[in-house]
Structures are given as C-alpha cells and as structure tokens.
Amino acid sequence: MLTFGSIGCGNMGGAILSGVAKLEKWQVIGFDPCQTATDALHERCGLRSCDDEIEVAQQADVILIAVKPQHVQGVVEKIAPHLGGKLLVSLAAGVSLRRIKTYSGDTCPAVVIMPNTPTMVGEGCCALCLDDPALNEDQKKLVLELFSAISTTVVLHESHIPEFSAFIGSGPAFIFHLLESFVEVGLRLGFSYHDAKQLAEKLMAGSVRLAQENPEVPHAKLRMNVCSPGGSSIVGVNEMDRLGVRGAIIETVLATHRRALEMSTD
C-alpha cells in the first residue's frame, strides 16, 4: 500500500485526494490549517489527518503541494529535510519546476501539474510536467497512472504549460460565461431562473455527450444535423457568424495565452 499525502486539503487538493482514495493501492493522508476541510475528507474518503506539514512529508510516498502560490516556498522549505526518497508534486499556478527544486534543495524528484476545476467532480483535465531529470521511468509511470485514473491527462514540457493554461485551465471560465448567456436568454424568453439554468446545463452536457459518443462525426456535421434547410436554427447559426462568435472565442483564448506567457516570465 502506497501513501499519497496532500499539504492543503481545499477544493483542488481535496478533489485529488478523493480521486486517489478510490484507487486500490493508495491510502490518503493530509494536513490543512482548517480542520473542517480534513474532517470532511475523512468522512468522504477516509483521509487520515496529520498534525502538520512535516508529518505528511515523513509518512507519504507522494506529496502533493496544494497551497496558494505565495505559500509554496515556505511549505517546501519547511519539509525539505524530510523529502529523501519521496516524490514531490506541485499544483501551484505560476510556480516553476526550477523554483520547486530550489525550495526543496533538490532533495527529491519533482513534478508540476495543472488540473482544471472540473477535476473537483471527476471530469477534469490535467497537464503533467515530467521534465525533472531526477525522475526515473518508474516514477514517471506512477505519476501518469495516478493522475490518468482521476482525470484526462496529457504530458507536456513545462514550456507548453501556458498553452494548456489558456486553453484548458482557463477554459471553464469561458464555458461558464457561455452558460450564463444561455440562462439569461432563457429568462428573456420567459423561463424561470431554475428552469433556464437546469435546461442550459443539460443542453451543454448533452451536446458534449453526443459528440463524445460519435467520435468519428465532425462537430460541424453534428451542428448541421440540427439545422433544417430554411429553418430557424440555421438562421441562428448565421447570426452567430455575422457577430463573429467563433472568432471572438478564438481571440479570447489567444489573449488569455498572451497573459499566461507574461505570467510565466514574471
């Protein structure tokens, strides 16, 4: 039995702990200053709470750093003397692998990951950076198996993390913005807020499910299947084209990417 420990048991740390706890060969431990968070995870997934960060580092085989970026240095430096023979994983946005290795005194291999928020409900995407030359093949395989079991996972060089961040990390914000728009138009059309929200969410989820279950069918074909000749749907699609919706979405992601590149060099 291997032990997965998390320092930080908030939304994302807690989601990863819950996913790992479902895997047969893993037990989960964690520390969070907020005892309510660890108590909830004990009930949800059998988490064993630790007294502090050092206890997590001493007892875990894989240690997840799931604290806010401004706290990463202090946490990693505190546990550094206890990291021999361990594997360190950081999900802190904007904290590079080089900085993690510096903070830890290069005492163990390290991995940088970027999950997006749907990971909290088991429907996430996660980028893994396995660039650390100290990682051996068994450790790379372990990390890949671990995170592939709880998310859709891709392995990227750290230089490509800003692309993933703009496209997938920030992506839920854009999807929720679209959902807000559908709910708003539902209200304009006379639906109650409850019905408009429920229907818009099912519209999005059902459309994605349809695409996933027809992987050989292009999205354009699925769209045209809705549009009868001379009907109302094709008029709506034409209006989207007139307003430049497709281009606006593309430019939104590219603008996000430019900022992600700026942040990666800050």
Side-chain angles (χ1 to χ4, degrees):
M1 181 74 72
L2 296 172
T3 300
F4 184 95
S6 181
I7 298 173
C9 299
N11 288 336
M12 191 59 71
I16 292 174
L17 284 163
S18 295
V20 173
K22 296 175 183 177
L23 307 178
E24 289 185 359
K25 67 178 182 180
W26 291 92
Q27 60 180 348
V28 293
I29 63 174
F31 168 75
D32 195 285
C34 176
Q35 188 175 343
T36 302
T38 53
D39 287 347
L41 285 166
H42 174 74
E43 294 297 323
R44 189 195 316 169
C45 66
L47 175 84
R48 182 170 63 77
S49 179
C50 294
D51 292 334
D52 56 24
E53 302 94 334
I54 291 175
E55 185 179 352
V56 175
Q58 289 173 332
Q59 298 190 14
D61 300 290
V62 177
I63 302 153
L64 176 70
I65 305 300
V67 300
K68 294 183 183 301
Q70 63 267 31
H71 300 314
V72 170
Q73 180 174 358
V75 167
V76 177
E77 288 180 347
K78 181 177 181 179
I79 65 174
H82 309 280
L83 292 177
K86 312 288 184 172
L87 180 59
L88 192 62
V89 179
S90 171
L91 58 71
V95 181
S96 67
L97 176 62
R98 178 186 59 80
R99 288 168 62 189
I100 295 295
K101 297 287 285 185
T102 299
Y103 300 155
S104 68
D106 202 12
T107 52
C108 71
V111 174
V112 170
I113 69 171
M114 175 171 283
N116 67 355
T117 56
T119 300
M120 292 189 289
V121 292
E123 295 290 343
C125 299
C126 186
L128 304 179
C129 168
L130 305 179
D131 289 355
D132 187 354
L135 285 166
N136 61 41
E137 290 305 315
D138 287 341
Q139 289 168 328
K140 291 179 182 180
K141 182 179 178 181
L142 178 70
V143 171
L144 188 56
E145 288 179 349
L146 184 61
F147 286 95
S148 294
I150 62 176
S151 61
T152 296
T153 300
V154 295
V155 177
L156 297 175
H157 290 298
E158 190 170 25
S159 60
H160 292 154
I161 291 294
E163 284 75 24
F164 184 89
S165 174
F167 178 33
I168 302 300
S170 297
F174 312 143
I175 298 300
F176 291 133
H177 194 69
L178 291 173
L179 271 173
E180 286 182 89
S181 300
F182 273 100
V183 172
E184 187 172 328
V185 77
L187 296 174
R188 288 281 299 273
L189 293 171
F191 292 90
S192 69
Y193 175 79
H194 176 270
D195 286 349
K197 181 176 183 292
Q198 185 178 50
L199 291 169
E201 289 169 353
K202 191 63 175 180
L203 169 65
M204 190 75 72
S207 299
V208 170
R209 178 76 177 271
L210 184 61
Q212 289 175 331
E213 294 197 0
N214 293 273
E216 304 304 319
V217 181
H219 294 156
K221 171 62 175 170
L222 294 173
R223 172 175 55 80
M224 291 307 298
N225 287 347
V226 184
C227 299
S228 302
S232 57
S233 297
I234 189 63
V235 171
V237 170
N238 291 161
E239 184 67 8
M240 292 178 76
D241 289 340
R242 186 186 72 81
L243 293 170
V245 172
R246 185 190 302 264
I249 292 172
I250 292 170
E251 289 304 316
T252 293
V253 176
L254 294 179
T256 306
H257 178 235
R258 288 192 291 273
R259 178 54 184 154
L261 287 174
E262 293 171 357
M263 292 173 66
S264 70
T265 57
D266 284 350

